[in-house]
């Protein structure tokens, strides 16, 4: 469960949906950071890509991408990361799911 006030590094798609659902329900003070450089984004609709204008328009700050990685990620300032979610199903009958 995402705790209120956590700082999340968020990817697009299911990770963004999960993070925004938490922000809109039980964790309204959660800080969402997208790899495009937006910090504190509060999108009203799920972004289609990291370049979606909704992220920058609703962000507390927009910073250079290298700073996201150097200061935030490598600096240990991220509590949790959701970068991708995928389910693979094998079409081969000899391979168990």
């Amino acid at each position: 469960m995402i705790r209120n006030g956590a700082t999340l590094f968020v990817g697009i798609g299911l990770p963004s949906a999960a993070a925004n659902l938490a922000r809109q329900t039980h964790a309204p003070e959660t800080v969402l950071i997208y790899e495009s450089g937006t910090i504190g984004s509060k999108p009203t609709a799920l972004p289609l890509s990291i370049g979606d204008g909704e992220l920058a328009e609703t962000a507390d700050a927009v910073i250079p991408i290298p700073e996201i990685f150097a200061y935030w990620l490598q600096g240990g300032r991220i509590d949790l990361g959701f970068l991708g979610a995928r389910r693979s199903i094998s079409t081969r009958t000899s391979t168990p799911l």
Side-chain angles (χ1 to χ4, degrees), residues 24-79:
Q24 292 177 357
T25 56
H26 69 277
E29 295 177 23
T30 296
V31 177
L32 304 183
I33 298 178
Y34 287 84
E35 64 182 308
S36 58
T38 59
I39 298 176
S41 292
K42 300 165 192 71
T44 57
L46 290 178
L48 299 176
S49 72
I50 61 166
D52 194 319
E54 177 79 4
L55 295 176
E57 291 168 6
T58 62
D60 295 330
V62 179
I63 62 172
I65 293 170
E67 190 172 327
I68 288 289
F69 289 93
Y71 181 81
W72 289 92
L73 286 172
Q74 293 175 346
R77 293 170 174 85
I78 303 294
D79 296 314

